[in-house]
Amino acid sequence: MSQDGASQFQEVIRQELELSVKKELEKILTTAPAQEFEHTKKDLDGFRKLFHRFLQEKGPSVDWGKIQRPPEDSIQPYEKIKARGLPDNISSVLNKLVVVKLNGGLGTSMGCKGPKSLIGVRNENTFLDLTVQQIEHLNKTYNTDVPLVLMNSFNTDEDTKKILQKYNHCRVKIYTFNQSRYPRINKESLLPVAKDVSYSGENTEAWYPPGHGDIYASFYNSGLLDTFIGEGKEYIFVSNIDNLGATVDLYILNHLMNSPNGKRCEFVMEVTNKTRADVKGGTLTQYEGKLRLVEIAQVPKAHVDEFKSVSKFKIFNTNNLWISLAAVKRLQEQNAIDMEIIVNPKTLDGGLNVIQLETAVGAAIKSFENSLGINVPRSRFLPVKTTSDLLLVMSNLYSLNAGSLTMSEKREFPTVPLVKLGSSFTKVQDYLRRFESIPDMLELDHLTVSGDVTFGKNVSLKGTVIIIANHGDRIDIPPGAVLENKIVSGNLRILDH
């Protein structure tokens, strides 16, 4: 078959597939209750657009030869932004801000049921408690009215709304909206797995929230975007709810509102320097004359090692983003927000292989005018993805003040210790059972724990500590023990290291 013939054949197959998916989606829509019909229709229309693009695009979505380092002035050092100081009218600047937290995730990777934001992280406070405390502190200190908006998913919406009542007396207005609900597709047939709109019974696994790139359409569709513009708000600060370093930064906000060259930025991405732990993080590059976020999934296989190199790509995206509300409205209405599709393969409990199509909020940077990266201190990136991260934020490395964690002045190094807890610590309830109290970690550089290990009260860890209980062994670190540069193995022999 000639090349032309082959591409015509592929085009026919593609059109037939789109038609089959359209029919399937129409069938699903007929099962929507009347009060959910419009909402479901918007979701399924959004999915159809994404699926259409998925069929059009082939292979990695970046041409490696076009990737360049960003120009010097396109990524500003935070020190330079901070050196401008703050204006007298900081309250009026703050009143133009809305804080948006991405709250669609579940705590399943840490063995918890329900929204991740409701896991206790510090002195019984959850991620959500700390967020509310931070914004309430801002509003009281500056006599402002900064609202908090939670982007929930269908997985987290109900549980989150129940909890919100406890903040009724806080000085923070809290709003929620839901990101879209899209059908997972069978990897072989590329048809939706869902047969109707319900997500119970055999349909439980048929639906998914399509990544945080969905924020633009969902925020717009919820009506909140127009509400806030009507109230005179100008920027949103978007971040992951599990990043405890993502607090409102007045210097960055001032830079946005009073830009030095008079040209306002529509999109600011906070980036920070890579360490060996961050080699997979998305990085900012210059691509076809615009700043562009490149994720590891978009990189051709032959260049993955180069992408991971800390010397060529020195920074990564923290997913702390400052975005102009007027620009979101304009681009959404022009259908001009362009984000690469992330294809996420999953295997359902029954063994069925599916794919879900997602987008990432930061990928839209290239659609906005006058975008900027700001290289912020590592302290603004403090995500809690695992119990190893949880150990760090619960420890005396940090002190808690008005919902914000700051590194203790008693720590001599500004970097965080590298902590690797084994599989016995993966679930939060197991992790909590294994520590009678959180060890003193002020002088710790590196901790590895593997196997059946428990810690007594008031243990102190310094330097490099490696604790390995072999299969069938159990190690109990006694109360008050001080381990400095030690390897503890098998039968609790303590060896100098």
Side-chain angles (χ1 to χ4, degrees):
M1 193 187 285
S2 71
Q3 208 169 357
D4 278 359
S7 58
Q8 278 176 337
F9 176 68
Q10 281 173 336
E11 181 58 21
V12 168
I13 299 257
R14 193 184 60 69
Q15 285 176 356
E16 282 182 1
L17 186 56
E18 283 212 50
L19 197 61
S20 304
V21 166
K22 182 173 180 246
K23 283 179 183 163
E24 289 291 317
L25 295 177
E26 282 166 356
K27 272 191 225 162
I28 293 171
L29 187 58
T30 61
T31 69
Q35 70 274 20
E36 284 176 31
F37 185 85
E38 274 312 310
H39 192 77
T40 307
K41 186 174 185 305
K42 272 183 181 164
D43 279 358
L44 295 179
D45 285 349
F47 173 77
R48 254 188 72 198
K49 282 183 194 161
L50 195 61
F51 186 74
H52 171 78
R53 281 183 47 216
F54 162 68
L55 292 181
Q56 299 282 3
E57 294 168 13
K58 288 282 172 275
S61 47
V62 291
D63 174 347
W64 194 252
K66 290 183 180 175
I67 285 181
Q68 297 170 310
R69 282 193 183 174
E72 280 297 301
D73 59 346
S74 65
I75 298 180
Q76 297 273 345
Y78 177 75
E79 291 67 37
K80 190 176 170 187
I81 304 287
K82 192 173 179 179
R84 295 185 60 205
L86 293 175
D88 296 337
N89 65 338
I90 196 68
S91 300
S92 63
V93 173
L94 262 172
N95 272 326
K96 303 278 171 66
L97 183 70
V98 176
V99 174
V100 181
K101 291 285 180 182
L102 304 171
N103 185 45
L106 294 167
T108 40
S109 63
M110 292 164 78
C112 294
K113 286 190 166 67
K116 186 172 181 183
S117 56
L118 306 184
I119 294 175
V121 282
R122 182 83 190 208
N123 310 353
E124 307 296 307
N125 287 302
T126 64
F127 290 104
L128 188 53
D129 291 336
L130 295 176
T131 301
V132 172
Q133 286 168 30
Q134 287 163 19
I135 299 173
E136 183 175 45
H137 178 66
L138 266 184
N139 285 337
K140 283 179 171 172
T141 306
Y142 296 100
N143 193 23
T144 50
D145 185 19
V146 177
L148 169 63
V149 179
L150 301 171
M151 178 165 91
N152 298 334
S153 67
F154 63 91
N155 291 319
T156 63
D157 186 51
E158 210 175 309
D159 290 340
T160 302
K161 279 184 175 158
K162 279 182 200 157
I163 280 291
L164 290 182
Q165 292 164 359
K166 82 178 207 186
Y167 306 116
N168 282 348
H169 303 296
C170 293
R171 189 170 161 178
V172 182
K173 284 188 190 138
I174 304 177
Y175 302 82
T176 65
F177 69 98
N178 268 14
Q179 63 188 115
S180 307
R181 184 166 77 102
Y182 284 0
R184 285 178 166 147
I185 46 186
N186 183 317
K187 196 177 176 182
E188 299 302 316
S189 67
L190 292 184
L191 293 176
V193 178
K195 295 291 170 254
D196 58 55
V197 295
S198 72
Y199 39 99
S200 54
E202 55 185 43
N203 245 6
T204 314
E205 295 189 298
W207 300 90
Y208 72 99
H212 41 55
D214 183 58
I215 185 171
Y216 303 105
S218 293
F219 193 39
Y220 179 84
N221 290 338
S222 73
L224 282 173
L225 178 70
D226 281 336
T227 301
F228 289 131
I229 289 175
E231 289 176 4
K233 305 289 186 194
E234 294 183 25
Y235 280 95
I236 47 174
F237 171 49
V238 181
S239 61
N240 299 350
I241 198 150
D242 65 7
N243 177 8
L244 293 175
T247 55
V248 171
D249 187 282
L250 299 177
Y251 297 101
I252 295 177
L253 179 62
N254 178 47
H255 184 82
L256 284 172
M257 301 296 293
N258 302 304
S259 104
N261 59 4
K263 257 179 79 181
R264 278 216 174 168
C265 291
E266 291 188 343
F267 196 110
V268 162
M269 177 181 287
E270 293 184 34
V271 295
T272 193
N273 293 342
K274 271 187 186 181
T275 65
R276 300 264 168 234
D278 315 304
V279 291
K280 292 183 178 174
T283 194
L284 268 188
T285 61
Q286 175 89 346
Y287 192 89
E288 296 180 337
K290 286 225 160 183
L291 274 185
R292 176 160 174 166
L293 179 67
V294 176
E295 302 279 0
I296 195 162
Q298 297 163 256
V299 177
K301 280 200 173 65
H303 296 283
V304 165
D305 285 344
E306 192 182 339
F307 175 81
K308 286 181 176 177
S309 103
V310 181
S311 55
K312 181 162 185 183
F313 298 103
K314 293 183 166 63
I315 51 157
F316 72 99
N317 166 29
T318 63
N319 222 35
N320 301 348
L321 308 167
W322 304 75
I323 309 170
S324 153
L325 286 168
V328 173
K329 182 175 167 73
R330 180 189 81 234
L331 292 169
Q332 195 53 41
E333 287 176 349
Q334 293 170 353
N335 198 19
I337 294 183
D338 176 21
M339 294 170 284
E340 290 74 28
I341 295 173
I342 300 161
V343 179
N344 191 352
K346 297 264 179 191
T347 303
L348 303 187
D349 286 347
L352 181 69
N353 288 324
V354 297
I355 54 176
Q356 46 193 53
L357 306 178
E358 302 176 7
T359 56
V361 56
I365 187 168
K366 61 179 180 295
S367 305
F368 289 81
E369 293 300 317
N370 205 19
S371 305
L372 181 69
I374 296 181
N375 191 340
V376 296
R378 182 73 185 203
S379 56
R380 291 194 56 73
F381 184 67
L382 190 57
V384 180
K385 303 288 182 197
T386 61
T387 50
S388 301
D389 299 332
L390 196 54
L391 180 62
L392 291 169
V393 299
M394 282 183 158
S395 75
N396 60 345
L397 287 165
Y398 293 96
S399 54
L400 182 64
N401 183 13
S404 298
L405 290 181
T406 44
M407 184 159 304
S408 166
E409 290 173 1
K410 292 177 186 163
R411 175 146 175 102
E412 289 184 15
F413 321 100
T415 54
V416 176
L418 192 61
V419 171
K420 293 179 182 171
L421 299 179
S423 55
S424 309
F425 291 80
T426 303
K427 293 184 173 174
V428 173
Q429 56 269 40
D430 294 340
Y431 154 89
L432 291 171
R433 207 173 34 108
R434 291 179 176 278
F435 288 100
E436 269 192 70
S437 69
I438 303 296
D440 172 344
M441 291 166 48
L442 278 176
E443 295 176 44
L444 180 69
D445 300 324
H446 179 119
L447 173 67
T448 296
V449 184
S450 174
D452 185 0
V453 178
T454 60
F455 291 79
K457 276 197 168 139
N458 304 326
V459 171
S460 185
L461 305 172
K462 303 177 179 190
T464 296
V465 178
I466 298 168
I467 305 170
I468 296 171
N470 297 323
H471 186 68
D473 287 339
R474 174 173 167 166
I475 293 178
D476 295 313
I477 303 295
V482 177
L483 301 180
E484 181 166 5
N485 295 331
K486 291 279 189 273
I487 298 177
V488 181
S489 67
N491 53 9
L492 231 181
R493 281 180 307 148
I494 296 186
L495 309 170
D496 271 315
H497 156 73

